[in-house]
Each structure stands twice: as structure tokens, then as C-alpha cells.
């Protein structure tokens, strides 16, 4: 039986979780940060690659953002047989197959449908805007995440986290100074504006989704283990994929895909390779995002997404020859400053918590010793 604990982080009550050693949780956090980084930087680039070279199916691109969920199913199957062989429950025949309870399942399914809609909004934006422009707009999700985290999960802000949010938001604003010259050739002003508006909507909606996942953890009324986090990820992506699949059917995408593959500028083989890698890279993004929420908070997940914005900008310059103005260099400095501010605040908070807890434990031990000697 796993020991369940409830902790408090920055004034917010964390979800019930199976007891994990600090070293293991730190390792898990680093791993999820890496996955989030790969997905956050690679996802927009490979999606834009599809549109640049002749692809124009927005629902298909949205579908690919979560279509990698079967990979999680394979991992869960391996973990199940590992638990069964190890006899986690004391009897291999009674090994739990699915940890998710119906209450949690329905909540995650709703978040999954919202995610599917958000995927469509984002894919439409990437189809119409350069990577640099769509990335800087998406960075505004940090402000939305902070807003919804405050109201949904009662996230308490320190001076350092507020400083981080302000710096990262200002960095995105600085980047916005060069958007007027970014409209792709052959694209109407109406299409560009529509892409801009829908990308802002995608940022707002994802700013809601991150705290909503954290709220789901808090209200789950069951131990949140990393295996359960993987189940949540799989169900969320499954319902998002179903939502986009319906859109593809209505839009007749399946009839067009074979022809689009044959006409793709990089060749039919590379067309399908791009699809496969797109699904895999985006799965890294979603898995990393909810993993960071599990190990830390939705706010940290939002901050990591925002701080990677300049990295995406640089990669867009390297691979797609987009211009790198001075504003992008300023944004990079501001983003790194904000990232450092957040982690310094976390370090101070952790150190302060230890300073409070240790004397308290010593006082209890001394009182017990005095009581025993009486």
C-alpha cells in the first residue's frame, strides 16, 4: 500500500501523492522539463514545416498534436507487467490495471475536449503566421496561466514569481514590435489577422488548461502517482484526438491526405515522416507539461513554456531563415532573467521552509525525551 501525503507549496495545497523521495522527484522534474523543452521548441517548427512545403489541413495538424497517445498506452502496459512481476500489491493476480477512478476520468475527458479545441486554434495560427510571431503570441499564455492559477488553485505569488511573470510578459511584448513586417507572401491581411486572433485565443485557453489540470489533481480524492499522471495524459490526449478526428471527417481531410502527400514539395515519404515526428514531438510537450505540474505547479509549467520562446525564435531563424532583430536579443535576456528570478524565489522558499520545520521537529523530539524521562 502506497503512503499518501499532502503537502503545501507556496501557500497552495498540493494533491495527495504517493510518497516520493526528494531526489527522485527532482530527477522526475528535470526529465519532464526536458520533454517539455523538446515539445515546446520542436512542435511549432515541425508543424510550420508541414505548412511551408504545401500542407494546408488545419484539422490534421491539430489531430497530430495529440495523436501520439498510443505511445503512453504502451508505456502503461509495460509498467503494469512490471508491477505484476514485482507483486506490488502483495499478489500478482490482484495487480491494479487502471488507477483512474470514474470521477477523475470524466474531469480529464472534459479537459481533453477543451485541449482538442485549443489544438485547432493553435494549428490555425501556425498555418497563417511565421513561427516567430505565433511563438511570441503564445508566450502571453503565461499571464493567463497566472490569472487562472490564482483563481482556480489559489496560487500565492512571491515577489520573485511576480517579477518572473512581468519580465517574461515584457519580453513577449518587446518581440511584438516587429510583427508588422512578418506577414507571409501571398497571404491576405484578413487571413493574417484571423491567425493572430485565434493564436491569442489559443494562448488564453491553454492558460486555463494548465491550472485546470492542477485543480483536477487537487480534487481527485485519490493518490496522484506518476502512473496515474500517465493515465491522465493518455485519456486527455485521446479525447482531444477524437475531437479533432470529428473535425477531420467533417472537413473531408481523409480524402485529401493521399493527394496532398503526393504533391508535397519534400516528397510523399517525407510527408508521412513529418506526420509521425509531429505526433511524437507534441506528445513530449503534453507529457512534459502535466509532469511539471505533478512535480511542481501549473505556474512553473507556464514559465518554462514562456522562457523557451527565444529558443524557438533562434531555431526559426536557423531553419527557416526568419529575421533576428535586436528585439529578439532583448527578449532572450528578459526571459533568462525571469527564469532565474523564479527559481531563486523557489530556492529561498524551500530554504525558509526547512528552517521552520527543522526547529519544530527538534522541539518535538526534546519534548518527547523530557516526557520519557519523567
Amino acid at each position: 500500500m502506497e503512503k499518501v501525503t499532502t503537502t503545501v507549496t507556496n501557500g497552495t495545497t498540493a494533491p495527495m501523492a504517493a510518497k516520493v523521495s526528494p531526489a527522485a522527484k527532482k530527477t522526475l522534474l528535470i526529465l519532464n522539463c526536458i520533454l517539455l523543452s523538446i515539445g515546446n521548441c520542436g512542435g511549432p517548427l515541425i508543424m510550420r514545416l508541414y505548412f511551408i512545403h504545401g500542407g494546408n489541413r488545419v484539422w490534421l495538424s491539430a489531430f497530430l498534436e495529440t495523436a501520439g497517445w498510443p505511445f503512453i498506452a504502451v508505456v502503461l502496459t509495460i509498467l503494469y507487467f512490471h508491477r505484476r512481476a514485482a507483486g506490488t500489491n502483495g499478489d500478482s493476480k490482484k495487480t491494479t490495471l487502471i488507477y483512474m477512478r470514474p470521477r477523475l476520468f470524466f474531469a480529464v475527458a472534459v479537459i481533453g475536449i477543451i485541449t482538442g479545441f485549443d489544438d485547432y486554434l493553435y494549428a490555425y495560427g501556425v498555418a497563417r503566421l511565421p513561427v516567430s510571431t505565433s511563438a511570441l503570441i503564445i508566450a502571453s499564455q503565461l499571464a493567463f496561466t497566472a490569472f487562472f492559477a490564482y483563481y482556480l488553485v489559489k496560487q500565492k505569488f512571491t515577489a520573485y514569481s511576480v517579477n518572473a511573470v512581468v519580465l517574461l510578459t515584457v519580453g513577449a511584448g518587446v518581440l511584438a514590435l516587429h510583427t508588422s513586417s512578418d506577414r507571409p507572401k501571398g497571404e491576405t491581411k484578413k487571413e493574417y489577422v484571423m491567425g493572430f486572433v485565434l493564436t491569442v485565443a489559443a494562448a488564453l485557453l491553454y492558460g486555463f488548461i494548465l491550472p485546470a489540470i492542477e485543480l483536477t489533481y487537487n480534487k481527485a480524492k485519490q493518490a496522484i502517482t506518476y502512473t496515474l499522471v500517465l493515465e491522465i495524459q493518455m485519456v486527455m490526449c485521446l479525447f482531444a484526438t477524437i475531437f479533432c478526428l470529428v473535425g477531420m471527417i467533417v472537413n473531408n481531410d481523409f480524402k485529401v491526405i493521399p493527394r496532398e502527400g503526393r504533391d508535397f514539395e519534400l516528397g510523399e515519404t517525407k510527408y508521412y515522416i513529418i506526420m509521425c515526428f509531429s505526433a511524437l514531438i507534441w506528445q513530449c510537450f503534453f507529457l512534459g507539461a502535466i509532469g511539471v505540474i505533478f512535480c511542481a505547479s501549473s505556474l512553473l509549467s507556464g514559465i518554462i513554456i514562456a522562457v523557451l520562446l527565444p529558443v524557438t525564435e533562434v531555431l526559426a531563424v536557423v531553419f527557416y531563415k526568419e529575421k533576428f532583430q535586436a528585439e529578439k536579443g532583448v527578449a532572450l535576456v528578459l526571459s533568462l532573467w525571469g527564469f532565474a528570478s523564479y527559481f531563486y524565489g523557489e530556492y529561498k522558499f524551500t530554504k525558509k521552509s526547512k528552517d521552520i520545520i527543522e526547529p519544530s521537529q527538534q522541539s518535538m523530539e526534546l519534548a518527547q525525551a523530557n516526557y520519557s524521562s519523567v
Side-chain angles (χ1 to χ4, degrees), residues 10 156-167 337-338 341-342 344-346 348-349:
N10 280 354
K156 290 188 177 179
F157 294 95
T158 65
Y160 298 100
S161 59
V162 170
N163 186 49
V165 171
V166 171
L167 287 170
W337 184 7
S341 175
Y342 178 85
Y344 181 69
E346 286 295 296
K348 289 198 70 173
F349 177 81

Side-chain angles (χ1 to χ4, degrees), residues 334-370:
L334 290 172
S335 296
L336 293 175
W337 184 7
F339 198 55
S341 175
Y342 178 85
F343 276 103
Y344 181 69
E346 286 295 296
Y347 166 76
K348 289 198 70 173
F349 177 81
T350 303
K351 189 174 183 300
K352 185 178 179 181
S353 299
K354 287 182 179 179
D355 291 341
I356 293 172
I357 292 171
E358 288 177 3
S360 176
Q361 290 177 337
Q362 290 173 358
S363 298
M364 290 177 63
E365 290 172 359
L366 182 60
Q368 288 176 350
N370 291 337

